[in-house]
PDB file of all heavy atoms in Angstrom:
ATOM      1  N   THR A  67      11.204  22.164  -6.182  1.00 95.00           N
ATOM      2  CA  THR A  67      11.093  23.157  -7.276  1.00 95.00           C
ATOM      3  C   THR A  67      10.480  22.485  -8.467  1.00 95.00           C
ATOM      4  O   THR A  67      10.438  21.234  -8.551  1.00 95.00           O
ATOM      5  CB  THR A  67      12.476  23.676  -7.704  1.00 95.00           C
ATOM      6  OG1 THR A  67      13.295  22.579  -8.181  1.00 95.00           O
ATOM      7  CG2 THR A  67      13.180  24.446  -6.605  1.00 95.00           C
ATOM      8  N   LYS A  68       9.927  23.283  -9.335  1.00 94.00           N
ATOM      9  CA  LYS A  68       9.265  22.804 -10.574  1.00 94.00           C
ATOM     10  C   LYS A  68       9.998  23.391 -11.722  1.00 94.00           C
ATOM     11  O   LYS A  68      10.289  24.567 -11.779  1.00 94.00           O
ATOM     12  CB  LYS A  68       7.786  23.258 -10.519  1.00 94.00           C
ATOM     13  CG  LYS A  68       6.971  22.890 -11.694  1.00 94.00           C
ATOM     14  CD  LYS A  68       5.569  23.440 -11.515  1.00 94.00           C
ATOM     15  CE  LYS A  68       4.710  23.176 -12.744  1.00 94.00           C
ATOM     16  NZ  LYS A  68       3.368  23.697 -12.563  1.00 94.00           N
ATOM     17  N   GLY A  69      10.298  22.505 -12.669  1.00 90.00           N
ATOM     18  CA  GLY A  69      11.047  22.996 -13.884  1.00 90.00           C
ATOM     19  C   GLY A  69      10.769  22.080 -15.051  1.00 90.00           C
ATOM     20  O   GLY A  69       9.845  21.266 -14.998  1.00 90.00           O
ATOM     21  N   THR A  70      11.589  22.252 -16.076  1.00 85.00           N
ATOM     22  CA  THR A  70      11.464  21.356 -17.255  1.00 85.00           C
ATOM     23  C   THR A  70      12.861  20.854 -17.578  1.00 85.00           C
ATOM     24  O   THR A  70      13.867  21.417 -17.118  1.00 85.00           O
ATOM     25  CB  THR A  70      10.903  22.100 -18.478  1.00 85.00           C
ATOM     26  OG1 THR A  70      11.770  23.212 -18.767  1.00 85.00           O
ATOM     27  CG2 THR A  70       9.483  22.577 -18.250  1.00 85.00           C
ATOM     28  N   ILE A  71      12.920  19.819 -18.383  1.00 79.00           N
ATOM     29  CA  ILE A  71      14.183  19.292 -18.824  1.00 79.00           C
ATOM     30  C   ILE A  71      14.571  19.911 -20.145  1.00 79.00           C
ATOM     31  O   ILE A  71      13.684  20.175 -20.968  1.00 79.00           O
ATOM     32  CB  ILE A  71      14.243  17.740 -18.873  1.00 79.00           C
ATOM     33  CG1 ILE A  71      13.095  17.213 -19.739  1.00 79.00           C
ATOM     34  CG2 ILE A  71      14.161  17.156 -17.518  1.00 79.00           C
ATOM     35  CD1 ILE A  71      13.130  15.707 -19.983  1.00 79.00           C
ATOM     36  N   PRO A  72      15.835  20.206 -20.362  1.00 75.00           N
ATOM     37  CA  PRO A  72      16.232  20.886 -21.610  1.00 75.00           C
ATOM     38  C   PRO A  72      15.801  20.119 -22.887  1.00 75.00           C
ATOM     39  O   PRO A  72      15.425  20.754 -23.878  1.00 75.00           O
ATOM     40  CB  PRO A  72      17.749  20.979 -21.546  1.00 75.00           C
ATOM     41  CG  PRO A  72      18.035  20.866 -20.100  1.00 75.00           C
ATOM     42  CD  PRO A  72      16.966  20.013 -19.516  1.00 75.00           C
ATOM     43  N   GLU A  73      15.853  18.783 -22.851  1.00 79.00           N
ATOM     44  CA  GLU A  73      15.533  17.995 -24.030  1.00 79.00           C
ATOM     45  C   GLU A  73      14.015  18.000 -24.391  1.00 79.00           C
ATOM     46  O   GLU A  73      13.655  17.738 -25.508  1.00 79.00           O
ATOM     47  CB  GLU A  73      15.922  16.564 -23.841  1.00 79.00           C
ATOM     48  CG  GLU A  73      17.378  16.290 -23.472  1.00 79.00           C
ATOM     49  CD  GLU A  73      17.634  16.480 -21.963  1.00 79.00           C
ATOM     50  OE1 GLU A  73      16.880  15.976 -21.172  1.00 79.00           O
ATOM     51  OE2 GLU A  73      18.604  17.169 -21.652  1.00 79.00           O
ATOM     52  N   ASN A  74      13.165  18.341 -23.403  1.00 78.00           N
ATOM     53  CA  ASN A  74      11.747  18.315 -23.611  1.00 78.00           C
ATOM     54  C   ASN A  74      11.084  19.306 -22.686  1.00 78.00           C
ATOM     55  O   ASN A  74      10.730  19.003 -21.556  1.00 78.00           O
ATOM     56  CB  ASN A  74      11.182  16.881 -23.345  1.00 78.00           C
ATOM     57  CG  ASN A  74       9.676  16.818 -23.621  1.00 78.00           C
ATOM     58  OD1 ASN A  74       9.010  17.785 -23.861  1.00 78.00           O
ATOM     59  ND2 ASN A  74       9.154  15.609 -23.535  1.00 78.00           N
ATOM     60  N   LYS A  75      10.912  20.500 -23.160  1.00 79.00           N
ATOM     61  CA  LYS A  75      10.376  21.606 -22.337  1.00 79.00           C
ATOM     62  C   LYS A  75       8.955  21.351 -21.906  1.00 79.00           C
ATOM     63  O   LYS A  75       8.433  22.009 -21.016  1.00 79.00           O
ATOM     64  CB  LYS A  75      10.458  22.944 -23.133  1.00 79.00           C
ATOM     65  CG  LYS A  75      11.823  23.354 -23.456  1.00 79.00           C
ATOM     66  CD  LYS A  75      12.534  23.930 -22.284  1.00 79.00           C
ATOM     67  CE  LYS A  75      13.872  24.524 -22.676  1.00 79.00           C
ATOM     68  NZ  LYS A  75      14.688  24.803 -21.540  1.00 79.00           N
ATOM     69  N   LYS A  76       8.258  20.369 -22.481  1.00 85.00           N
ATOM     70  CA  LYS A  76       6.883  20.096 -22.084  1.00 85.00           C
ATOM     71  C   LYS A  76       6.824  19.188 -20.840  1.00 85.00           C
ATOM     72  O   LYS A  76       5.823  19.151 -20.179  1.00 85.00           O
ATOM     73  CB  LYS A  76       6.118  19.398 -23.227  1.00 85.00           C
ATOM     74  CG  LYS A  76       5.851  20.305 -24.404  1.00 85.00           C
ATOM     75  CD  LYS A  76       5.079  19.558 -25.475  1.00 85.00           C
ATOM     76  CE  LYS A  76       4.834  20.494 -26.659  1.00 85.00           C
ATOM     77  NZ  LYS A  76       4.085  19.852 -27.725  1.00 85.00           N
ATOM     78  N   THR A  77       7.928  18.481 -20.562  1.00 87.00           N
ATOM     79  CA  THR A  77       7.917  17.589 -19.408  1.00 87.00           C
ATOM     80  C   THR A  77       8.308  18.351 -18.128  1.00 87.00           C
ATOM     81  O   THR A  77       9.398  18.886 -18.050  1.00 87.00           O
ATOM     82  CB  THR A  77       8.967  16.451 -19.611  1.00 87.00           C
ATOM     83  OG1 THR A  77       8.574  15.732 -20.787  1.00 87.00           O
ATOM     84  CG2 THR A  77       8.961  15.494 -18.425  1.00 87.00           C
ATOM     85  N   VAL A  78       7.349  18.467 -17.203  1.00 92.00           N
ATOM     86  CA  VAL A  78       7.578  19.124 -15.934  1.00 92.00           C
ATOM     87  C   VAL A  78       8.239  18.122 -14.991  1.00 92.00           C
ATOM     88  O   VAL A  78       7.848  16.973 -14.848  1.00 92.00           O
ATOM     89  CB  VAL A  78       6.226  19.604 -15.344  1.00 92.00           C
ATOM     90  CG1 VAL A  78       6.457  20.206 -13.952  1.00 92.00           C
ATOM     91  CG2 VAL A  78       5.572  20.633 -16.247  1.00 92.00           C
ATOM     92  N   VAL A  79       9.340  18.617 -14.408  1.00 92.00           N
ATOM     93  CA  VAL A  79      10.057  17.791 -13.405  1.00 92.00           C
ATOM     94  C   VAL A  79      10.124  18.523 -12.068  1.00 92.00           C
ATOM     95  O   VAL A  79      10.176  19.777 -12.044  1.00 92.00           O
ATOM     96  CB  VAL A  79      11.471  17.472 -13.887  1.00 92.00           C
ATOM     97  CG1 VAL A  79      11.474  16.476 -15.034  1.00 92.00           C
ATOM     98  CG2 VAL A  79      12.286  18.689 -14.217  1.00 92.00           C
TER      99      VAL A  79
END
Side-chain angles (χ1 to χ4, degrees):
T67 60
K68 179 180 175 180
T70 58
I71 54 175
E73 305 83 45
N74 181 354
K75 298 283 187 193
K76 291 182 181 181
T77 301
V78 175
V79 292

